[in-house]
Amino acid sequence: MWRGNTKSYVGDAEGAIEDLQQALRLNPLDVTIWIAQTGMANAHFLRGRYEEALSWASMALRQRPNSLSTLRVAIAANALAGHLDTARQMVGRYRELDPAARLAKMKEWWWFRGGEDVEKYLEGFRLAGMPE
């Protein structure tokens, strides 16, 4: 699971999906399954498969409704999939959990990732109404 998430966060989406699928098969009852599900959501988001990303993010949010990392994927995926009302509602929820949330702060989280991936997330956040 951790190897898959690491691959996802450094931009190896296909490698991440393989590793995370294996983790989910090996331990489908893991109490931290939401971490693997969030990794799957992120990997599918990076590949431009926004609806698939939303499916995984929804599963993870059922397990951990206040996970900021999962909400970030869900916000950006909803926005880029054209579900702007849902994305905007999720920004409101996110900002309840993290009132200081701003695009500038989000850029800091992805200092290690390539520019295209960061820009894709930021585009989603902008569409969803996240303050600069």
Side-chain angles (χ1 to χ4, degrees), residues 26-37:
L26 290 174
N27 199 359
L29 301 177
D30 188 349
V31 296
T32 62
I33 197 166
W34 66 274
I35 297 170
Q37 292 166 335

Side-chain angles (χ1 to χ4, degrees), residues 87-102:
R88 288 180 183 126
Q89 289 172 357
M90 294 185 106
V91 165
R93 181 168 160 204
Y94 191 98
R95 296 203 62 229
E96 287 174 6
L97 298 168
D98 182 4
R102 302 278 184 279

Side-chain angles (χ1 to χ4, degrees), residues 27-53:
N27 199 359
L29 301 177
D30 188 349
V31 296
T32 62
I33 197 166
W34 66 274
I35 297 170
Q37 292 166 335
T38 299
M40 289 290 279
N42 184 59
H44 284 289
F45 177 83
L46 295 176
R47 300 304 296 160
R49 298 187 289 252
Y50 305 126
E51 295 295 339
E52 185 74 11

Side-chain angles (χ1 to χ4, degrees), residues 19-83:
D19 288 347
L20 292 164
Q21 284 174 333
Q22 181 179 11
L24 291 165
R25 277 193 309 274
L26 290 174
N27 199 359
L29 301 177
D30 188 349
V31 296
T32 62
I33 197 166
W34 66 274
I35 297 170
Q37 292 166 335
T38 299
M40 289 290 279
N42 184 59
H44 284 289
F45 177 83
L46 295 176
R47 300 304 296 160
R49 298 187 289 252
Y50 305 126
E51 295 295 339
E52 185 74 11
L54 290 172
S55 176
W56 285 103
S58 294
M59 285 185 261
L61 287 169
R62 282 193 291 277
Q63 297 290 320
R64 186 64 65 110
N66 294 330
S67 166
L68 293 177
S69 59
T70 309
L71 283 168
R72 285 192 292 270
V73 179
I75 289 166
N78 269 299
L80 294 179
H83 310 298

